[in-house]
Amino acid sequence: MATTFNNISFRWKTASWLLKIIYINIAVFLILRIFAVVGFFFGAETSSWLRWIECPSSLSILAQQPWAILTYMFAQFDVLHILFNMLWLYGFGRLFLEFNSQKQLLALYIYGGILGAIVFMLGYTFLPAFDHHIGWLIGSSASAIAIVIATAILNPDYKVGLLFIGQISLKWIAIITLAIFFLGLSGENSGGHMAHFGGALAGAIYGLMMRRGKDITRSFNLLLDGIANTLTTFKNFKFPKRNKTKKPKANKWDSTKSQRRPNSNSTEKASASPEDQAELDKILDKIKKSGYTALSAEEKKRLFDVSKRIK
């Protein structure tokens, strides 16, 4: 179990932002489907909890769940929906990264999703066909189409091979895709197709501005870098330790010496009496002349006793 978790953690850390976005979408999809299965057996309606991550067409409802303008673009509920969106995103995401950075891809993904949600809400608010209706938006289509359109504008004549079609330029893929979305505006997913045009608008603005040498994702990425640096600084910050006043430890040898140090009254050496001093000088003179071995046993004993008294 630990090895599996370590492998997943390593793959996440080493993955590009393109793959990370795809991983998040797949993970959210699986979680939503598991909730749907559990809810089915307990009699809970899917819409009752799915609404918390979908983006509403009503601004007043969005004000109650502002996170939905971000969560909706990382969530899919239908199998075919996530399959086509991830294939679309992966294919054009790789082409995008050949000429742009990973940070620019992440920013454009967010831009496309937000602008798609704005166009979706504007359509439901002002178009007569949606009068008095509340719509709900889910899926990464708007974000994916932003990357498609941006890639096509930056490299219109870049050709890719499509099954049953052969080599075709990116500009024609973009044009055909927008035409399909336009024809679908009167269908059941008209709100979703309006969001697609919002994502396409974000991609077009990015591509056209990049051709002029201006990166509209720069401010977004500077903000993310600032947040990341702040979090890193906070994570590595260590509160200074309080300096506790410690009592100086007595040196081992000083302690020993202090314990062995005699009383101040006993430190003074006993002064020798005149008789002892005279006798000691006499014995020392004899040692000087004849050596210690010339002393008699009695003289050696007296030397010892006198030295001991005046020590």
Side-chain angles (χ1 to χ4, degrees):
M1 187 66 180
T3 303
T4 303
F5 178 78
N6 291 335
N7 289 337
I8 295 174
S9 177
F10 176 77
R11 287 181 178 275
W12 172 262
K13 291 179 180 179
T14 57
S16 65
W17 268 113
L18 173 61
L19 291 179
K20 287 180 179 179
I21 292 171
I22 293 175
Y23 291 160
I24 293 173
N25 276 273
I26 294 175
V28 173
F29 168 76
L30 293 175
I31 292 172
L32 294 180
R33 296 305 301 187
I34 291 173
F35 270 76
V37 172
V38 175
F40 171 78
F41 286 106
F42 285 91
E45 293 185 7
T46 303
S47 59
S48 62
W49 51 266
L50 195 59
R51 292 287 186 256
W52 288 98
I53 61 173
E54 292 178 318
C55 181
S57 60
S58 171
L59 188 60
S60 60
I61 299 177
L62 181 63
Q64 300 175 18
Q65 50 183 71
W67 60 84
I69 200 169
L70 291 176
T71 56
Y72 97 89
M73 69 180 74
F74 291 96
Q76 273 86 194
F77 190 73
D78 297 324
V79 176
L80 292 180
H81 195 194
I82 188 172
L83 178 63
F84 284 111
N85 280 344
M86 294 304 100
L87 290 175
W88 197 249
L89 178 61
Y90 180 72
F92 278 88
R94 291 183 62 186
L95 294 176
F96 182 90
L97 290 177
E98 290 187 12
F99 310 99
N100 302 269
S101 69
Q102 296 187 39
K103 290 183 178 180
Q104 289 171 325
L105 182 140
L106 173 62
L108 183 56
Y109 184 94
I110 302 295
Y111 283 2
I114 292 177
L115 195 52
I118 292 175
V119 172
F120 168 76
M121 289 187 289
L122 289 175
Y124 267 83
T125 302
F126 296 105
L127 294 179
F130 305 103
D131 190 26
H132 304 298
H133 286 81
I134 299 296
W136 297 88
L137 185 63
I138 187 173
S140 57
S141 302
S143 298
I145 197 63
I147 295 174
V148 173
I149 299 302
T151 306
I153 290 178
L154 291 173
N155 305 276
D157 297 320
Y158 189 97
K159 293 184 177 182
V160 295
L162 297 180
L163 187 64
F164 305 122
I165 297 178
Q167 298 290 320
I168 183 171
S169 300
L170 293 181
K171 61 184 178 183
W172 289 111
I173 294 179
I175 292 172
I176 293 171
T177 301
L178 292 177
I180 294 173
F181 291 157
F182 178 78
L183 296 176
L185 284 173
S186 60
E188 295 181 357
N189 190 29
S190 56
H193 287 308
M194 285 191 296
H196 294 161
F197 278 100
L201 179 60
I205 294 173
Y206 173 83
L208 293 173
M209 294 301 290
M210 282 296 290
R211 295 189 69 166
R212 296 181 180 180
K214 296 181 179 180
D215 181 9
I216 64 173
T217 67
R218 185 173 181 273
S219 299
F220 177 85
N221 287 321
L222 287 175
L223 175 62
L224 285 187
D225 290 341
I227 294 174
N229 292 335
T230 301
L231 292 176
T232 302
T233 303
F234 181 77
K235 181 180 179 182
N236 296 332
F237 178 78
K238 294 182 179 179
F239 290 97
K241 296 182 178 179
R242 291 173 56 185
N243 293 326
K244 296 182 179 180
T245 305
K246 297 182 178 180
K247 296 181 179 180
K249 294 183 178 180
N251 186 281
K252 178 181 178 181
W253 300 108
D254 290 345
S255 176
T256 304
K257 290 178 181 179
S258 63
Q259 293 175 2
R260 292 180 178 179
R261 187 174 298 149
N263 191 291
S264 58
N265 295 330
S266 62
T267 54
E268 299 178 358
K269 292 183 179 180
S271 58
S273 63
E275 294 80 5
D276 289 338
Q277 187 65 48
E279 188 172 2
L280 180 61
D281 291 341
K282 181 179 178 182
I283 296 173
L284 291 176
D285 288 339
K286 186 175 182 181
I287 293 173
K288 185 177 179 181
K289 294 178 181 179
S290 305
Y292 182 77
T293 55
L295 297 178
S296 64
E298 180 65 21
E299 290 175 330
K300 291 179 181 180
K301 183 177 182 304
R302 290 184 63 79
L303 176 63
F304 176 77
D305 293 339
V306 173
S307 300
K308 187 176 181 181
R309 283 198 301 271
I310 67 175
K311 187 176 180 179

